[in-house]
């Protein structure tokens, strides 16, 4: 995943925001910024929006969609990494009304990362992300619309969770901060990583359990069922772990309701409970339709064919498989070395530190680290404790994973938003006065932190959008985007030239493992431009005989990724010597 390394950018923008706040306060002294006309006007607008739920949800929906549409002009969403292309393949497969595709007769030429080539041709990931992308592809003509709608729903779900734990205005500001979070927008709103769906599911599941504790109603059980469906069909391991605490709360509330009020109130839960059972059975049903075994996910085929490492440290490694491509071997050998290292005591503690650093960088960063630490040190209500234990439980389960990916903690985005929101609220409720109200020799030392707490909150709110804009521009012109533009330019050029083409990608010995060019859609033979691996003069003849009507091109990414070399069928053998 593209992880914005923006600590310096966040620090710089935060400091500039502090200077802006101090400049405004100096212009209005002796009054602080929180006693100016501008502050009261903004606060009045927030009160009008926050105390009308429909208006609040409409505002967040419009704001999030506007952010996604505007930033898409700079960084148009398109698959870059292998996982994103795998989700795109799943979306195209579902859009054509199938769960899997038949394996290609010459599948070794199209073998690539995170995609199953045998015994069928499909994505190796669970189906949720592909389903929402297929919805966008079928209904709106573009899979990215499904990603946008999922991110909007996830933001609204997190906002609903915040309303259960925070006052209305603070919950609205928390939802706004989630919608403007740079890593969330760039990774889950403007890219095809599977973070938006578990973010939505985690907020619905935990929010439904907290709402049940406050007021037992059947609609909250139904929302919990939707959360289980989203979590278990996007990240099964994390979904099952995250569901433990909310499902225990569901059983507790049901037992208390049955004891004090009898069975009659539980009759209103029947639709929600039925939906919950269907949600739990959704993933086994999908596995049975794709693999013939309700307990065997499609990823098991990919893992057995290519990976010696296992998803968790509790599993034993496999024997080293035989690879058809050296690039595939290089990627999975690196994963295997990391897997074996993590089994040692030193490797486990190093991996724990790396995961803490990764999750802190991705979810908190410089802007939200201090509020999160304030939340950890302060008193916590029952909803806050549930959020705290949900985060701790999911992170503890991720320590058993053999690799670290930031989206593995996506289900805890809602609880993390509650934690940061409570920390910001604690900082804001600390009263303070302008520092220049005191002579230099009378300025309080220990109380200085409290005097600056509200300024810190305002600086965080002021810095969130500029950080998002800067990160979007920085990533739009980064190296992965440059390679993507070249690939799209080749496809557009060949498609515009007419006819049918096949591009043979010949990798060099120093090819970076993270840069892959060979990806195709569900119907390989129907594509106007097919991408295949150049396997040498002798083996290429089988591919050329299979596609006699296609113009053959060769691409050497290490030499000149912007140049396509046209090859004829007769000259193909000599051109590859």
């Amino acid at each position: 995943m593209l992880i914005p390394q923006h600590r310096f950018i966040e620090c710089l923008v935060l400091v500039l925001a502090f200077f802006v706040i101090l400049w405004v306060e100096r212009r209005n002294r002796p009054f602080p910024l929180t006693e100016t006309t501008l502050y009261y006007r903004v606060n009045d607008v927030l009160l009008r929006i926050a105390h009308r739920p429909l208006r609040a949800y409409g505002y967040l929906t419009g704001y999030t969609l506007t952010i996604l549409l505007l930033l898409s002009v700079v960084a148009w969403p398109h698959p870059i990494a292998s996982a994103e292309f795998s989700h795109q393949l799943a979306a195209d497969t579902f859009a054509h009304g199938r769960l899997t595709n038949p394996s290609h007769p010459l599948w070794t030429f199209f073998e690539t990362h995170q995609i199953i080539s045998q015994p069928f041709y499909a994505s190796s990931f669970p189906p949720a992300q592909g389903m929402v992308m297929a919805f966008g592809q079928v209904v709106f003509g573009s899979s990215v619309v499904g990603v946008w709608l999922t991110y909007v729903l996830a933001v609204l779900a997190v906002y609903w969770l915040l309303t259960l734990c925070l006052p209305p205005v603070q919950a609205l500001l928390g939802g706004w901060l989630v919608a403007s979070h740079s890593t969330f927008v760039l990774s889950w709103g403007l890219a095809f990583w599977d973070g938006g769906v578990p973010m939505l599911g985690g907020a619905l599941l935990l929010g439904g359990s907290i709402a049940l504790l406050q007021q037992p109603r059947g609609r909250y059980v139904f929302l919990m069922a939707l959360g289980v469906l989203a979590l278990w069909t996007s990240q099964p391991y994390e979904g099952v772990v995250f569901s433990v605490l909310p499902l225990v709360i569901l059983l507790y509330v049901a037992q208390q309701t049955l004891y004090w009020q009898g069975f009659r109130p539980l009759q209103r839960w029947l639709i929600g409970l039925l939906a919950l059972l269907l949600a739990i059975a959704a993933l086994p049903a999908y596995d049975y339709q794709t693999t013939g075994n309700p307990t065997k996910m499609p990823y098991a085929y990919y893992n057995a064919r290519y990976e010696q490492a296992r998803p968790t440290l509790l599993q034993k490694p496999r024997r080293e498989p035989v690879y058809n491509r050296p690039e595939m071997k290089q990627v999975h050998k690196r994963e295997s070395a990391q897997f074996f290292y993590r089994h040692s005591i030193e490797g486990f503690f190093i991996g724990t530190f790396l995961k803490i650093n990764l999750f802190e960088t991705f979810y908190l960063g410089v802007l939200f680290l201090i509020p999160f630490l304030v939340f950890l040190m302060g008193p916590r209500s029952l909803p806050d404790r549930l959020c705290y234990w949900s985060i701790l439980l999911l992170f503890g389960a991720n320590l058993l994973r053999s690799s670290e990916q930031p989206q593995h903690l996506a289900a805890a985005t809602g609880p993390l938003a509650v934690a940061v929101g409570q920390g910001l609220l604690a900082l804001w409720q600390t009263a303070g006065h302008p520092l220049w109200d005191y002579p230099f020799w009378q300025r309080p030392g220990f109380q200085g932190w409290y005097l600056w707490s509200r300024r810190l909150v305002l600086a965080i709110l002021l810095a969130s959008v500029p950080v998002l804009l800067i990160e979007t521009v920085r990533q739009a012109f980064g190296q992965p985007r440059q390679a993507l533009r070249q690939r799209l330019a080749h496809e557009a050029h060949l498609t515009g030239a007419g006819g049918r083409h096949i591009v043979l990608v010949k990798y060099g010995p120093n090819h970076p493992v993270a840069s892959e060019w060979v990806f195709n859609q569900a119907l390989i033979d129907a594509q106007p431009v097919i991408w295949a691996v150049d396997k040498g003069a002798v083996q290429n003849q089988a591919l050329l005989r299979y596609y006699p009507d296609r113009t053959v091109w060769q691409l050497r990414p290490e030499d000149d990724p912007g140049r396509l070399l046209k090859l004829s069928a007769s000259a193909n053998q000599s051109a590859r010597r």
Side-chain angles (χ1 to χ4, degrees):
M1 175 176 290
L2 298 176
I3 304 172
Q5 302 294 332
H6 53 212
R7 292 186 185 274
F8 174 75
I9 295 176
E10 283 186 311
C11 290
L12 180 61
V13 175
L14 191 62
V15 171
L16 292 177
F18 260 114
F19 277 111
V20 170
I21 293 171
L22 293 176
W23 176 76
V24 173
E25 286 190 346
R26 182 168 287 276
R27 287 178 60 88
N28 294 275
R29 67 179 178 177
F31 302 102
L33 182 61
T34 54
E35 296 181 13
T36 60
T37 304
L38 175 62
Y39 170 78
Y40 287 117
R41 289 179 178 176
V42 173
N43 188 57
D44 183 59
V45 172
L46 292 176
L47 286 172
R48 292 180 182 179
I49 297 176
H51 287 278
R52 296 185 179 181
L54 291 180
R55 181 179 293 182
Y57 284 106
Y59 162 77
L60 283 177
T61 300
Y63 173 78
T64 308
L65 281 176
T66 302
I67 285 291
L68 294 175
L69 290 173
L70 292 178
L71 296 184
S72 295
V73 177
V74 181
W76 176 252
H78 197 280
I80 297 178
S82 57
E84 296 178 276
F85 278 102
S86 183
H87 290 306
Q88 181 64 57
L89 172 63
D92 195 48
T93 302
F94 299 148
H96 283 86
R98 296 189 302 271
L99 296 180
T100 61
N101 305 286
S103 181
H104 196 278
L106 301 176
W107 60 271
T108 57
F109 286 91
F110 310 106
E111 199 175 17
T112 189
H113 308 300
Q114 304 298 340
I115 290 177
I116 303 170
S117 299
Q118 278 287 341
F120 49 82
Y121 175 49
S123 169
S124 63
F125 290 104
Q129 183 71 13
M131 287 288 185
V132 299
M133 292 171 61
F135 173 80
Q137 182 174 332
V138 172
V139 178
F140 300 97
S142 177
S143 58
V144 70
V145 180
V147 176
W148 290 343
L149 295 179
T150 303
Y151 186 71
V152 171
L153 291 176
V155 170
L156 296 181
V158 172
Y159 169 66
W160 174 62
L161 175 60
L162 290 170
T163 60
L164 300 173
C165 306
L166 291 168
V169 173
Q170 285 75 13
L172 180 63
L173 290 175
W176 175 73
L177 287 175
V178 172
S180 307
H181 198 290
S182 60
T183 52
F184 298 166
V185 173
L186 294 175
S187 300
W188 302 339
L190 296 176
F192 297 128
W193 292 94
D194 55 336
V197 178
M199 173 181 170
L200 169 65
L204 289 177
L205 185 57
L206 186 60
S209 63
I210 294 175
L212 273 179
L213 288 172
Q214 298 174 356
Q215 191 176 13
R217 290 189 176 180
R219 63 171 177 262
Y220 299 138
V221 181
F222 184 77
L223 291 177
M224 292 180 66
L226 294 180
V228 169
L229 178 64
L231 277 177
W232 288 30
T233 57
S234 59
Q235 295 178 355
Y237 173 69
E238 288 79 9
V240 171
V241 172
F242 191 84
S243 301
V244 171
L245 186 59
L247 293 181
V248 169
I249 294 174
L250 174 64
L251 294 176
Y252 169 77
V253 174
Q255 185 271 334
Q256 290 293 309
T257 304
L258 184 63
Y259 180 81
W260 293 104
Q261 303 179 30
F263 182 75
R264 187 177 184 86
L266 294 181
Q267 293 178 351
R268 304 172 184 174
W269 293 22
L270 291 180
I271 296 179
L273 292 175
L274 179 61
L276 181 61
L277 293 177
L278 293 176
I280 294 175
L283 184 62
Y286 171 80
D287 295 338
Y288 178 76
Q289 291 296 323
T290 54
T291 67
N293 186 344
T295 62
K296 186 175 183 179
M297 293 185 290
Y299 181 76
Y301 285 104
Y302 185 86
N303 185 270
R305 174 65 184 84
Y306 298 108
E307 296 184 353
Q308 187 179 11
R310 305 300 293 274
T312 67
L313 297 176
L314 300 178
Q315 298 171 284
K316 295 182 179 180
R318 299 181 185 271
R319 293 182 178 180
E320 183 176 356
V322 178
Y323 297 96
N324 297 318
R325 291 182 55 191
E327 296 82 19
M328 299 280 287
K329 181 177 181 179
Q330 186 179 2
V331 170
H332 294 297
K333 286 290 287 183
R334 185 179 60 179
E335 294 176 353
S336 301
Q338 178 177 308
F339 178 79
F340 288 116
Y341 177 66
R342 293 289 170 84
H343 270 84
S344 64
I345 297 179
E346 176 190 1
F348 181 78
F349 282 104
I350 294 296
T352 301
F353 173 78
L354 292 177
K355 290 180 180 180
I356 293 175
N357 179 69
L358 176 67
F359 291 140
E360 185 274 327
T361 302
F362 188 88
Y363 290 92
L364 300 175
V366 175
L367 293 184
F368 305 113
L369 179 59
I370 293 178
F372 182 73
L373 295 177
V374 171
F375 166 79
L376 295 180
M377 295 183 294
R380 292 184 286 270
S381 62
L382 177 59
D384 296 340
R385 291 198 295 271
L386 293 177
C387 293
Y388 171 79
W389 284 108
S390 297
I391 298 170
L392 196 63
L393 185 64
L394 188 59
F395 179 75
N398 267 279
L399 293 181
L400 299 178
R401 274 195 171 273
S402 57
S403 62
E404 54 272 350
Q405 292 289 339
Q407 72 268 23
H408 290 163
L409 209 65
T413 303
L416 283 169
V418 172
V420 172
Q422 291 288 10
L424 290 172
L425 181 60
L427 290 171
W428 183 260
Q429 290 175 344
T430 303
H433 300 280
L435 202 60
W436 45 77
D437 285 357
Y438 303 91
F440 178 79
W441 56 88
Q442 295 181 2
R443 293 177 184 176
F446 179 76
Q447 296 180 356
W449 163 254
Y450 298 98
L451 296 174
W452 287 84
S453 59
R454 287 196 172 185
R455 298 186 185 95
L456 176 62
V457 175
L458 293 174
I460 291 173
L461 295 175
L462 192 61
S464 59
V465 174
V467 169
L468 171 60
L469 297 177
I470 294 172
E471 279 296 331
T472 303
V473 174
R474 189 178 70 86
Q475 287 204 12
F477 297 97
Q479 184 62 33
R481 289 281 178 180
Q482 298 298 332
L484 169 64
R485 289 191 180 93
Q486 291 172 340
R487 191 180 190 276
L488 293 177
H490 290 322
E491 284 193 353
H493 171 70
L494 296 178
T495 304
R500 298 160 69 82
H501 308 268
I502 181 169
V503 180
L504 298 176
V505 182
K506 188 173 184 62
Y507 295 111
N510 299 322
H511 178 72
V513 296
S515 179
E516 179 62 83
W517 288 74
V518 179
F519 290 106
N520 296 281
Q521 297 294 337
L523 304 178
I524 296 179
D525 293 346
Q527 292 178 188
V529 180
I530 295 177
W531 297 82
V533 178
D534 192 328
K535 302 178 74 69
V538 177
Q539 297 185 56
N540 286 345
Q541 294 302 317
L543 188 67
L544 297 180
R545 286 193 297 268
Y546 189 84
Y547 295 111
D549 59 336
R550 289 184 178 266
T551 305
V552 183
W553 304 82
Q554 187 184 66
L555 174 69
R556 298 174 180 264
E558 284 72 45
D559 297 340
D560 188 0
R563 181 189 177 190
L564 285 175
L565 178 63
K566 186 176 181 179
L567 302 176
S568 63
S570 59
N572 186 40
Q573 183 173 355
S574 60
R576 283 163 172 73
R577 289 178 179 175

